[in-house]
Amino acid sequence: MTANTDADTVFLTVDGAEHELSREEANQLAEAIGDALESREEFFRTAGEYRADGTYVVSRRAAESAGNRKVFESFDRLERLYERLPETFDADAVGRTGITGSRRHMVVRHFAEHPSFECRTVSRNPLRVRKETGTSAKAGDGETAAAD
C-alpha cells in the first residue's frame, strides 16, 4: 500500500488499485481505520480491548486498576496461550505461563466468555474451563455449570 498527496488530493494505492481521495475523505478514512484498530468488547465479567499499538488487553469488565488487566503483545499471543493449555484447565495452568495473581482467573474467564475460544466453564469453584471442539458450547453469560 502506498499513499501520496498533492495540495488537494490523496492518492492511495491498495493491491494495485488506485484511489483518489479529497483531504477530508482521507481524514475520515484515517479516523475509521483508527476506530477499527482500537475497539473494546465487553462480556459478562471480562472485556477485551484491541489497542492501536497492536496489543490486546484482557480486563475485568468494570475495573480500572492495572491489577485487573493483563496486556498481551497481540491477540495472537492470547490465542497461542490458549492453544498451549490442556483440554481442561484452571487458573493454576494459566499461572504456569507466568501470569500471576487474580489475573490468572480473569484470563480463564475471558477464554470462556470470548467467542473466539471454543470452551466453556465446567466448574466455578474451583474455576475450571474445558475446550470444546466442533460444538457451539457458549452460554449466554459465559458461565455454564456442568458436572465433571
Side-chain angles (χ1 to χ4, degrees), residues 34-83:
D35 289 346
L37 289 174
E38 296 181 34
S39 64
R40 179 179 167 92
E41 288 182 287
E42 291 191 349
F43 304 103
F44 184 63
R45 289 195 170 110
T46 66
E49 177 182 357
Y50 292 91
R51 292 182 175 171
D53 64 2
T55 59
Y56 183 78
V57 182
V58 174
S59 63
R60 294 204 191 283
R61 187 164 175 223
E64 296 294 324
S65 74
N68 290 302
R69 68 176 167 249
K70 171 64 180 150
V71 179
F72 292 88
E73 287 182 27
S74 65
F75 188 77
D76 289 343
R77 291 286 182 145
L78 180 63
E79 288 177 315
R80 283 196 293 273
L81 167 62
Y82 177 77
E83 290 167 5

Side-chain angles (χ1 to χ4, degrees), residues 119-141:
C119 63
R120 65 184 179 99
T121 302
V122 293
S123 171
R124 290 184 184 161
N125 192 9
L127 178 61
R128 224 174 23 244
V129 170
R130 178 176 295 131
K131 295 179 181 180
E132 301 288 329
T133 54
T135 63
S136 178
K138 291 292 177 188
D141 66 0

Side-chain angles (χ1 to χ4, degrees), residues 86-146:
E87 289 303 305
T88 300
F89 62 92
D90 57 14
D92 289 339
V94 170
R96 288 185 205 103
T97 69
I99 299 171
T100 60
S102 64
R103 291 178 193 91
R104 301 170 309 145
H105 292 88
M106 179 184 61
V107 169
V108 171
R109 285 194 190 284
H110 193 67
F111 284 136
E113 294 177 348
H114 196 288
S116 291
F117 303 103
E118 292 185 16
C119 63
R120 65 184 179 99
T121 302
V122 293
S123 171
R124 290 184 184 161
N125 192 9
L127 178 61
R128 224 174 23 244
V129 170
R130 178 176 295 131
K131 295 179 181 180
E132 301 288 329
T133 54
T135 63
S136 178
K138 291 292 177 188
D141 66 0
E143 294 292 324
T144 306

